[in-house]
Amino acid sequence: MAKGPNYKVKFRRRREGKTNYYKRYVYVLSGKIRLVVRITNKYVIAQVVKIAPKGDVVIVAAHSIELVKKFGWKGDTNNTPAAYLTGYLVGLRALKSSINEAIADIGLHVPAKGARVFYVIKGAIDAGLKIPLGEVGIIEERIRGIHIANYAEKLKSEKPELFSRLFSKYLERGLDPKDLPSHFDEVLNKIKASGG
């Protein structure tokens, strides 16, 4: 560790890799409402947040576990289609709360092209929320999970034992992975019908 009279110890959350204080400072100065996207090992979490003097205030939120509990989603809760659906859900809820625009806050996620955080944002945009989003490498067929269905079909014919191991959770929930795109459409229609 560095030593000397001019060395400054970074804030604890920066040392732990949880907060980028420069980005946070810019968000606070802008005063704009943010769409905060966080992806864990199991879930996708999206929140619409406004800055207040005592701390952030969450206006609306969506969690990918809701897809399973409320809308009958049988796929993974942190893959690309689940990320899009979670974004769509939070977008509808934001519009219900009279929020029409926001800026994206992806935290410490690396903004790599085609990253799942951008699919959450795309879902919110498609729901009607205005969020500035540049060219981030979104592939339309990935939204519906066509890439997962194609891979599952290929694996089922070439290596059935690997297929049953990799897609065991899908099969346990009663979903054949090749039917994921149609299942996605079904869940998306349920979300639209519910209005968030």
Side-chain angles (χ1 to χ4, degrees):
M1 190 162 167
K3 295 176 183 171
N6 295 329
Y7 182 72
K8 276 186 173 178
V9 177
K10 288 185 171 68
F11 292 126
R12 178 185 55 83
R13 288 185 61 85
R14 183 65 221 170
R15 290 193 312 265
E16 291 172 352
K18 291 181 179 173
T19 303
N20 180 335
Y21 281 97
Y22 177 73
K23 267 189 183 178
R24 173 90 186 135
Y25 173 72
V26 172
Y27 289 139
V28 169
L29 285 183
S30 75
K32 293 188 176 173
I33 291 175
R34 306 181 338 257
L35 171 65
V36 178
V37 179
R38 300 293 181 261
I39 297 178
T40 68
N41 287 340
K42 282 188 174 181
Y43 303 110
V44 177
I45 304 155
Q47 300 171 324
V48 175
V49 172
K50 73 175 178 181
I51 292 168
K54 289 188 177 180
D56 290 353
V57 177
V58 177
I59 301 164
V60 291
H63 196 288
S64 60
I65 198 68
E66 291 179 73
L67 301 176
V68 176
K69 292 181 176 177
K70 292 183 181 174
F71 303 104
W73 176 250
K74 294 178 184 173
D76 280 344
T77 51
N78 77 337
N79 62 8
T80 306
Y84 179 86
L85 290 171
T86 306
Y88 198 90
L89 189 57
V90 82
L92 287 178
R93 288 177 180 171
L95 291 173
K96 255 188 175 176
S97 301
S98 304
I99 294 161
N100 299 318
E101 58 181 288
I103 56 171
D105 176 357
I106 62 169
L108 295 174
H109 287 292
V110 177
K113 277 199 170 196
R116 286 173 296 169
V117 290
F118 296 127
Y119 285 91
V120 177
I121 298 163
K122 171 80 168 131
I125 290 169
D126 288 353
L129 203 57
K130 291 185 187 87
I131 303 170
L133 185 67
E135 182 52 48
V136 292
I138 289 177
I139 302 166
E140 291 296 325
E141 68 174 24
R142 283 184 169 260
I143 290 173
R144 295 180 62 235
I146 294 170
H147 63 297
I148 298 169
N150 292 343
Y151 178 64
E153 212 166 324
K154 181 182 175 205
L155 212 57
K156 193 173 188 177
S157 61
E158 292 174 9
K159 298 177 182 174
E161 69 290 335
L162 183 61
F163 166 81
S164 54
R165 193 171 78 232
L166 287 180
F167 292 99
S168 62
K169 294 287 182 192
Y170 283 78
L171 299 169
E172 269 176 38
R173 295 181 203 118
L175 175 68
D176 189 334
K178 71 175 177 16
D179 299 331
L180 186 62
S182 57
H183 180 60
F184 171 88
D185 294 337
E186 182 186 312
V187 172
L188 183 60
N189 289 333
K190 282 183 188 173
I191 291 170
K192 285 177 181 174
S194 76

mmCIF file of all heavy atoms in Angstrom, residues 22-39:
data_model
loop_
_atom_site.group_PDB
_atom_site.id
_atom_site.type_symbol
_atom_site.label_atom_id
_atom_site.label_comp_id
_atom_site.label_asym_id
_atom_site.label_seq_id
_atom_site.Cartn_x
_atom_site.Cartn_y
_atom_site.Cartn_z
ATOM 1 N N TYR A 22 -16.965 9.674 -8.487
ATOM 2 C CA TYR A 22 -16.980 10.715 -9.515
ATOM 3 C C TYR A 22 -18.296 10.653 -10.291
ATOM 4 O O TYR A 22 -18.959 11.668 -10.507
ATOM 5 C CB TYR A 22 -15.786 10.584 -10.474
ATOM 6 C CG TYR A 22 -15.859 11.634 -11.566
ATOM 7 C CD1 TYR A 22 -15.587 12.973 -11.274
ATOM 8 C CD2 TYR A 22 -16.275 11.317 -12.845
ATOM 9 C CE1 TYR A 22 -15.719 13.956 -12.249
ATOM 10 C CE2 TYR A 22 -16.401 12.283 -13.822
ATOM 11 C CZ TYR A 22 -16.117 13.598 -13.515
ATOM 12 O OH TYR A 22 -16.253 14.572 -14.479
ATOM 13 N N LYS A 23 -18.691 9.420 -10.694
ATOM 14 C CA LYS A 23 -19.961 9.262 -11.410
ATOM 15 C C LYS A 23 -21.121 9.727 -10.532
ATOM 16 O O LYS A 23 -22.041 10.396 -10.990
ATOM 17 C CB LYS A 23 -20.178 7.783 -11.755
ATOM 18 C CG LYS A 23 -19.695 7.358 -13.108
ATOM 19 C CD LYS A 23 -20.195 5.948 -13.350
ATOM 20 C CE LYS A 23 -19.707 5.397 -14.652
ATOM 21 N NZ LYS A 23 -20.147 4.027 -14.863
ATOM 22 N N ARG A 24 -21.061 9.337 -9.288
ATOM 23 C CA ARG A 24 -22.116 9.696 -8.331
ATOM 24 C C ARG A 24 -22.239 11.231 -8.220
ATOM 25 O O ARG A 24 -23.329 11.780 -8.227
ATOM 26 C CB ARG A 24 -21.766 9.084 -6.977
ATOM 27 C CG ARG A 24 -22.650 9.490 -5.863
ATOM 28 C CD ARG A 24 -23.819 8.550 -5.714
ATOM 29 N NE ARG A 24 -24.710 9.087 -4.696
ATOM 30 C CZ ARG A 24 -26.002 9.148 -4.814
ATOM 31 N NH1 ARG A 24 -26.598 8.684 -5.879
ATOM 32 N NH2 ARG A 24 -26.743 9.651 -3.866
ATOM 33 N N TYR A 25 -21.105 11.893 -8.172
ATOM 34 C CA TYR A 25 -21.053 13.361 -8.093
ATOM 35 C C TYR A 25 -21.728 13.984 -9.319
ATOM 36 O O TYR A 25 -22.523 14.917 -9.207
ATOM 37 C CB TYR A 25 -19.582 13.782 -7.988
ATOM 38 C CG TYR A 25 -19.315 15.261 -8.061
ATOM 39 C CD1 TYR A 25 -19.647 16.111 -7.019
ATOM 40 C CD2 TYR A 25 -18.696 15.816 -9.187
ATOM 41 C CE1 TYR A 25 -19.391 17.467 -7.082
ATOM 42 C CE2 TYR A 25 -18.436 17.171 -9.262
ATOM 43 C CZ TYR A 25 -18.784 17.996 -8.211
ATOM 44 O OH TYR A 25 -18.530 19.334 -8.283
ATOM 45 N N VAL A 26 -21.438 13.456 -10.486
ATOM 46 C CA VAL A 26 -22.025 13.963 -11.732
ATOM 47 C C VAL A 26 -23.540 13.761 -11.721
ATOM 48 O O VAL A 26 -24.302 14.655 -12.117
ATOM 49 C CB VAL A 26 -21.372 13.290 -12.961
ATOM 50 C CG1 VAL A 26 -22.097 13.657 -14.242
ATOM 51 C CG2 VAL A 26 -19.906 13.673 -13.058
ATOM 52 N N TYR A 27 -24.000 12.583 -11.258
ATOM 53 C CA TYR A 27 -25.442 12.319 -11.186
ATOM 54 C C TYR A 27 -26.128 13.308 -10.240
ATOM 55 O O TYR A 27 -27.200 13.823 -10.525
ATOM 56 C CB TYR A 27 -25.731 10.899 -10.703
ATOM 57 C CG TYR A 27 -25.398 9.823 -11.703
ATOM 58 C CD1 TYR A 27 -24.785 8.643 -11.294
ATOM 59 C CD2 TYR A 27 -25.712 9.952 -13.047
ATOM 60 C CE1 TYR A 27 -24.485 7.639 -12.194
ATOM 61 C CE2 TYR A 27 -25.413 8.958 -13.962
ATOM 62 C CZ TYR A 27 -24.798 7.799 -13.527
ATOM 63 O OH TYR A 27 -24.503 6.813 -14.417
ATOM 64 N N VAL A 28 -25.514 13.549 -9.094
ATOM 65 C CA VAL A 28 -26.095 14.467 -8.110
ATOM 66 C C VAL A 28 -26.194 15.878 -8.692
ATOM 67 O O VAL A 28 -27.215 16.551 -8.549
ATOM 68 C CB VAL A 28 -25.275 14.464 -6.794
ATOM 69 C CG1 VAL A 28 -25.718 15.595 -5.882
ATOM 70 C CG2 VAL A 28 -25.425 13.132 -6.082
ATOM 71 N N LEU A 29 -25.133 16.320 -9.365
ATOM 72 C CA LEU A 29 -25.156 17.662 -9.967
ATOM 73 C C LEU A 29 -26.218 17.784 -11.052
ATOM 74 O O LEU A 29 -26.823 18.833 -11.215
ATOM 75 C CB LEU A 29 -23.788 18.009 -10.549
ATOM 76 C CG LEU A 29 -22.695 18.385 -9.554
ATOM 77 C CD1 LEU A 29 -21.430 18.770 -10.302
ATOM 78 C CD2 LEU A 29 -23.119 19.536 -8.659
ATOM 79 N N SER A 30 -26.431 16.712 -11.820
ATOM 80 C CA SER A 30 -27.421 16.777 -12.893
ATOM 81 C C SER A 30 -28.838 16.923 -12.329
ATOM 82 O O SER A 30 -29.689 17.549 -12.948
ATOM 83 C CB SER A 30 -27.344 15.539 -13.783
ATOM 84 O OG SER A 30 -27.925 14.424 -13.134
ATOM 85 N N GLY A 31 -29.086 16.308 -11.167
ATOM 86 C CA GLY A 31 -30.411 16.395 -10.548
ATOM 87 C C GLY A 31 -31.482 15.630 -11.284
ATOM 88 O O GLY A 31 -32.676 15.754 -10.993
ATOM 89 N N LYS A 32 -31.095 14.820 -12.255
ATOM 90 C CA LYS A 32 -32.075 14.101 -13.075
ATOM 91 C C LYS A 32 -32.470 12.782 -12.418
ATOM 92 O O LYS A 32 -31.729 12.214 -11.628
ATOM 93 C CB LYS A 32 -31.507 13.843 -14.466
ATOM 94 C CG LYS A 32 -31.322 15.107 -15.247
ATOM 95 C CD LYS A 32 -30.951 14.827 -16.667
ATOM 96 C CE LYS A 32 -30.856 16.125 -17.452
ATOM 97 N NZ LYS A 32 -30.344 15.940 -18.781
ATOM 98 N N ILE A 33 -33.633 12.300 -12.802
ATOM 99 C CA ILE A 33 -34.104 10.992 -12.339
ATOM 100 C C ILE A 33 -33.310 9.923 -13.077
ATOM 101 O O ILE A 33 -33.057 10.043 -14.278
ATOM 102 C CB ILE A 33 -35.620 10.868 -12.575
ATOM 103 C CG1 ILE A 33 -36.341 11.829 -11.631
ATOM 104 C CG2 ILE A 33 -36.088 9.448 -12.391
ATOM 105 C CD1 ILE A 33 -37.818 11.907 -11.808
ATOM 106 N N ARG A 34 -32.898 8.872 -12.359
ATOM 107 C CA ARG A 34 -32.036 7.836 -12.930
ATOM 108 C C ARG A 34 -32.747 6.495 -12.991
ATOM 109 O O ARG A 34 -33.530 6.168 -12.101
ATOM 110 C CB ARG A 34 -30.774 7.660 -12.074
ATOM 111 C CG ARG A 34 -30.032 8.911 -11.853
ATOM 112 C CD ARG A 34 -28.761 8.766 -11.034
ATOM 113 N NE ARG A 34 -28.601 7.638 -10.167
ATOM 114 C CZ ARG A 34 -28.750 7.675 -8.835
ATOM 115 N NH1 ARG A 34 -29.113 8.782 -8.257
ATOM 116 N NH2 ARG A 34 -28.526 6.605 -8.117
ATOM 117 N N LEU A 35 -32.441 5.736 -14.036
ATOM 118 C CA LEU A 35 -32.832 4.329 -14.087
ATOM 119 C C LEU A 35 -31.600 3.555 -13.638
ATOM 120 O O LEU A 35 -30.603 3.483 -14.352
ATOM 121 C CB LEU A 35 -33.244 3.910 -15.500
ATOM 122 C CG LEU A 35 -33.467 2.404 -15.682
ATOM 123 C CD1 LEU A 35 -34.647 1.919 -14.853
ATOM 124 C CD2 LEU A 35 -33.684 2.056 -17.139
ATOM 125 N N VAL A 36 -31.651 3.006 -12.441
ATOM 126 C CA VAL A 36 -30.514 2.293 -11.863
ATOM 127 C C VAL A 36 -30.665 0.810 -12.179
ATOM 128 O O VAL A 36 -31.691 0.206 -11.848
ATOM 129 C CB VAL A 36 -30.454 2.516 -10.332
ATOM 130 C CG1 VAL A 36 -29.307 1.740 -9.726
ATOM 131 C CG2 VAL A 36 -30.325 3.995 -10.022
ATOM 132 N N VAL A 37 -29.654 0.231 -12.824
ATOM 133 C CA VAL A 37 -29.691 -1.176 -13.214
ATOM 134 C C VAL A 37 -28.577 -1.920 -12.499
ATOM 135 O O VAL A 37 -27.418 -1.520 -12.559
ATOM 136 C CB VAL A 37 -29.514 -1.330 -14.746
ATOM 137 C CG1 VAL A 37 -29.536 -2.796 -15.143
ATOM 138 C CG2 VAL A 37 -30.564 -0.548 -15.496
ATOM 139 N N ARG A 38 -28.943 -3.008 -11.820
ATOM 140 C CA ARG A 38 -27.953 -3.856 -11.156
ATOM 141 C C ARG A 38 -28.251 -5.302 -11.519
ATOM 142 O O ARG A 38 -29.409 -5.737 -11.483
ATOM 143 C CB ARG A 38 -27.981 -3.687 -9.630
ATOM 144 C CG ARG A 38 -27.700 -2.266 -9.161
ATOM 145 C CD ARG A 38 -26.264 -1.831 -9.466
ATOM 146 N NE ARG A 38 -25.991 -0.481 -8.999
ATOM 147 C CZ ARG A 38 -26.008 0.589 -9.762
ATOM 148 N NH1 ARG A 38 -26.329 0.501 -11.048
ATOM 149 N NH2 ARG A 38 -25.708 1.777 -9.264
ATOM 150 N N ILE A 39 -27.196 -6.051 -11.863
ATOM 151 C CA ILE A 39 -27.348 -7.462 -12.201
ATOM 152 C C ILE A 39 -26.493 -8.277 -11.237
ATOM 153 O O ILE A 39 -25.295 -8.040 -11.116
ATOM 154 C CB ILE A 39 -26.940 -7.729 -13.668
ATOM 155 C CG1 ILE A 39 -27.880 -6.963 -14.596
ATOM 156 C CG2 ILE A 39 -26.972 -9.215 -13.972
ATOM 157 C CD1 ILE A 39 -27.575 -7.075 -16.059
#
